[in-house]
């Protein structure tokens, strides 16, 4: 590997919608055995947005808490890149909205990257190159992955929905993760495994084919990275994968384990032990939130930082990022040596503790209201803001209106409270091991 300036993730912060539905509730309401969703797909719950949350508010929340928690001067942010496949406008990027909502300086480049769930990884690599080029200028880049995963009601993809955003601060003091300087291990193939035409609010997917494409891209990129980076299986303390649903990470790990077992002529640690040690610990947050498309790999990273301490200090992790269509990449990085700096700062645990559970009827009602809210020219929701969060207030004269966390002026007049569904916060289960059958 090349020796060059350290660069990577200095801070990471997560934003998650306030409501969720348990996959067992969804299964029972649709006449499916809950074990199919719990064990067969590996999920537990999925985040559901209200009409007042959208990819922009999620991105802004994640970025605002990132800047607050890591005490970043907004004037020092020189670039914001948003990786998303849930864009709210065909021209104006989410990054421009976020720039305004966070009151960043004009001398800041803003744009979105899109390639299904690979968008944020493209953004991360671009931000890293930009940071290395501008070292010495003390300017940081912010990369945000934000998405709402939506499939049709009653479709096979429905239990793999979710929503959320992950914001990452990129710089040359990467206390969280130094990205290794190795040649790119990328793979692109023009396939129709998952897509969303402009006229659709839900994704279309050739489910089984998408699993094949994912695994083919994994094999290509993993083999390439092993050849060109000089790293091998034993160098990775954890292996993280893109997680459209947790069982997919299990399938991905199984493939890599088989490749390595073949290479070692069978003289290799057992699958169960290897999986429980290397990959399972990174999946607990994905089980709670569901698929967040471009952010799902980085949600795994944040979950790991939250649940592990000294064990992870200075550990090298392998990452596999996959975006349907398709583009994929394998890369690696080394966690910072001081868990006191990165442990418990992602915001996941607080966000999960504070959620409200929906029943099936409430979930359907929220979907219907969210669709109406986003439609061009639809009504403008009147939001009472307490100044703590960003809210989407509707479309007015074809312009999206947002209530800013720090200003109530954008939310005038005040009429209804942002809480769409009444209920009590539900406690989250602590990270637990789950073996698939
Ligand atoms: N108890 C336990 N497991 C059960 C079960 C039950 N009662 N019923 C089914 N299962 C298991 C199946 O055996 C299968 O496991 P396997 O994959 O290890 O064989 C799993 O649950 C899924 O069942 P399946 O019948 O294959 O599900 P499906 O036809 O409903 O579709 C997906 C599954 C993943 C294809 C679908 O959810 C989808 O399209 N998802 C979105 C696409 C996606 O995320 N692609 C990933 C690439 S980015």
């Amino acid at each position: 590997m090349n020796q060059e300036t350290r660069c990577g993730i200095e801070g990471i912060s997560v934003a998650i919608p306030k409501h969720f539905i348990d996959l067992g509730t969804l299964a029972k309401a649709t006449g499916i055995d809950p074990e199919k969703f719990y064990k067969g797909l590996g999920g537990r719950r999925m985040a559901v947005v209200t009409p007042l949350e959208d990819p922009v508010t999620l991105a802004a929340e994640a970025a605002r808490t990132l800047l607050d928690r890591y005490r970043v001067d907004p004037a020092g942010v020189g670039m914001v890149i948003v990786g998303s496949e849930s864009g709210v406008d065909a021209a104006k990027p989410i990054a421009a909205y976020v720039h305004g909502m966070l009151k960043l300086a004009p001398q800041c480049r803003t744009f979105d990257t899109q390639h299904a769930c690979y968008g944020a990884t493209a953004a991360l690599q671009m931000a890293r190159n930009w940071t290395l080029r501008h070292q010495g200028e003390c300017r940081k880049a912010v990369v945000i992955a934000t998405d709402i995963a939506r499939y049709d009601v009653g479709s096979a993809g429905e239990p793999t929905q979710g929503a959320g955003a992950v914001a990452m601060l990129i710089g040359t003091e990467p206390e969280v993760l130094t990205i290794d300087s190795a040649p790119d291990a990328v793979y692109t193939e023009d396939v129709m495994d998952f897509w969303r035409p402009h006229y659709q609010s839900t994704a279309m997917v050739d489910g089984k084919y998408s699993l094949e494409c994912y695994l083919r891209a994994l094999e290509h990129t993993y083999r390439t990275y092993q050849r060109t980076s000089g790293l091998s299986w034993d160098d990775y303390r954890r292996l993280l994968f893109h997680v459209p649903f947790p069982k997919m990470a299990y399938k991905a790990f199984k493939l890599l384990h088989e490749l390595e077992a073949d290479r070692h002529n069978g003289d290799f640690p057992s699958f169960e032990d290897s999986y429980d040690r290397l990959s399972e610990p990174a999946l607990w947050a994905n089980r709670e939130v569901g698929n967040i498309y471009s952010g799902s790999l980085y949600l795994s990273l944040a979950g790991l930082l939250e649940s592990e301490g000294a064990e992870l200090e200075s550990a090298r992790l392998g990452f596999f990022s996959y975006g349907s269509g398709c583009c994929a990449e394998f890369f690696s990085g080394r966690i910072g040596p001081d868990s006191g700096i990165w442990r418990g700062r992602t915001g996941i645990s607080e966000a999960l503790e504070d959620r409200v559970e929906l029943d099936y009827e409430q979930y359907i009602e929220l979907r219907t209201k969210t669709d109406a809210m986003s439609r061009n020219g639809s009504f403008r929701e009147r939001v009472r803001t307490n100044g703590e969060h960003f809210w989407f207030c509707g479309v007015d004269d074809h312009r999206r209106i947002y209530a800013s966390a720090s200003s109530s002026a954008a939310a005038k007049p005040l009429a209804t409270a942002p809480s769409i569904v009444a209920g009590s916060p539900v406690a989250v289960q602590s990270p637990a091991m789950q073996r698939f059958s």
Side-chain angles (χ1 to χ4, degrees):
M1 259 182 310
N2 304 329
Q3 292 299 320
E4 53 175 66
T5 311
R6 288 171 68 229
C7 184
I9 303 174
E10 295 188 355
I12 181 166
S13 180
V14 172
I16 298 164
K18 302 270 172 282
H19 299 85
F20 74 90
I21 183 167
D22 193 289
L23 293 188
T25 306
L26 179 67
K28 282 181 206 141
T30 49
I32 292 170
D33 178 0
E35 288 305 305
K36 175 176 177 184
F37 295 169
Y38 290 145
K39 284 219 168 106
L41 298 177
R44 224 173 91 70
R45 294 164 163 177
M46 63 188 197
V48 179
V49 287
T50 71
L52 307 182
E53 295 163 308
D54 75 357
V56 176
T57 64
L58 291 169
E61 288 284 348
R64 181 170 63 95
T65 50
L66 178 80
L67 300 189
D68 285 354
R69 280 194 198 115
Y70 290 87
R71 296 199 176 81
V72 178
D73 176 4
V77 176
M79 182 151 86
V80 177
I81 318 179
V82 174
S84 180
E85 55 186 291
S86 318
V88 295
D89 191 287
K92 179 167 175 171
I94 294 173
Y97 284 106
V98 171
H99 180 276
M101 290 156 96
L102 267 53
K103 301 184 171 48
L104 299 179
Q107 300 79 12
C108 176
R109 184 177 282 143
T110 55
F111 59 100
D112 291 359
T113 49
Q114 182 204 322
H115 194 142
C117 304
Y118 176 73
T121 301
L124 180 65
Q125 297 293 16
M126 214 178 298
R128 182 168 164 264
N129 291 339
W130 176 87
T131 305
L132 287 170
R133 205 156 52 81
H134 289 264
Q135 46 183 297
E137 293 177 26
C138 297
R139 299 177 87 205
K140 313 245 179 246
V142 172
V143 166
I144 311 167
T146 183
D147 271 309
I148 298 175
R150 267 168 74 87
Y151 297 92
D152 284 341
V153 170
S155 68
E158 188 182 22
T160 70
Q161 297 176 126
V166 182
M168 294 173 275
L169 186 68
I170 311 303
T172 50
E173 292 162 23
E175 315 268 18
V176 173
L177 184 87
T178 301
I179 297 174
D180 289 326
S181 297
D184 290 347
V186 293
Y187 177 82
T188 287
E189 191 183 347
D190 178 5
V191 288
M192 289 300 280
D193 61 332
F194 167 107
W195 66 104
R196 182 169 67 81
H198 281 308
Y199 48 82
Q200 286 249 143
S201 67
T202 50
M204 320 208 56
V205 60
D206 188 343
K208 298 280 159 58
Y209 179 53
S210 74
L211 311 195
E212 280 173 33
C213 295
Y214 177 118
L215 293 176
R216 188 160 61 242
L218 171 62
E219 180 167 350
H220 274 277
T221 55
Y222 179 74
R223 283 186 190 280
T224 303
Y225 200 71
Q226 302 314 92
R227 198 175 59 246
T228 58
S229 67
L231 296 169
S232 64
W233 177 268
D234 291 333
D235 289 314
Y236 304 117
R237 195 93 58 85
R238 299 281 180 272
L239 281 166
L240 278 60
F241 302 93
H242 168 51
V243 190
F245 53 95
K247 180 79 169 277
M248 190 67 228
Y250 175 90
K251 289 174 190 285
F253 185 86
K254 198 156 190 282
L255 172 71
L256 296 194
H257 186 270
E258 280 165 11
L259 292 178
E260 291 291 342
D262 280 355
R263 210 165 60 82
H264 290 82
N265 292 322
D267 182 16
F268 202 60
S270 78
F271 171 77
E272 283 75 16
D273 289 351
S274 307
Y275 173 74
D276 288 350
R277 190 168 45 84
L278 288 166
S279 276
E280 170 56 35
L283 292 174
W284 72 270
N286 303 80
R287 286 207 167 85
E288 288 291 332
V289 179
N291 191 1
I292 62 168
Y293 289 160
S294 60
S296 81
L297 176 64
Y298 303 101
L299 180 62
S300 284
L301 171 62
L304 205 57
L305 295 172
E306 198 80 8
S307 61
E308 299 209 31
E311 165 72 359
L312 209 60
E313 288 176 353
S314 301
R316 174 165 279 120
L317 314 186
F319 296 85
F320 174 67
S321 175
Y322 176 82
S324 288
C326 69
C327 184
E329 177 164 4
F330 195 98
F331 63 98
S332 64
R334 206 182 255 280
I335 293 285
D338 184 356
S339 55
I341 291 181
W342 42 258
R343 197 170 191 203
R345 284 178 92 180
T346 66
I348 298 182
S349 298
E350 300 92 300
L352 291 178
E353 274 161 19
D354 200 24
R355 293 197 298 176
V356 173
E357 182 166 10
L358 303 172
D359 62 28
Y360 182 74
E361 286 69 32
Q362 289 169 324
Y363 153 71
I364 293 294
E365 188 190 338
L366 279 188
R367 280 185 69 114
T368 311
K369 281 188 172 173
T370 305
D371 276 346
M373 186 80 160
S374 292
R375 223 168 289 131
N376 203 7
S378 74
F379 69 94
R380 177 175 172 184
E381 183 80 11
R382 295 176 169 207
V383 178
R384 181 188 301 282
T385 173
N386 56 10
E388 284 177 15
H389 299 288
F390 296 104
W391 301 111
F392 171 46
C393 306
V395 180
D396 193 1
D397 189 24
H398 301 280
R399 290 165 167 80
R400 293 177 83 83
I401 310 294
Y402 290 96
S404 152
S406 53
S407 154
S408 56
K412 61 178 183 334
L414 308 179
T416 56
S419 177
I420 292 286
V421 178
S424 312
V426 172
V428 62
Q429 261 196 355
S430 56
M433 297 284 273
Q434 174 171 338
R435 184 82 60 67
F436 296 95
S437 52

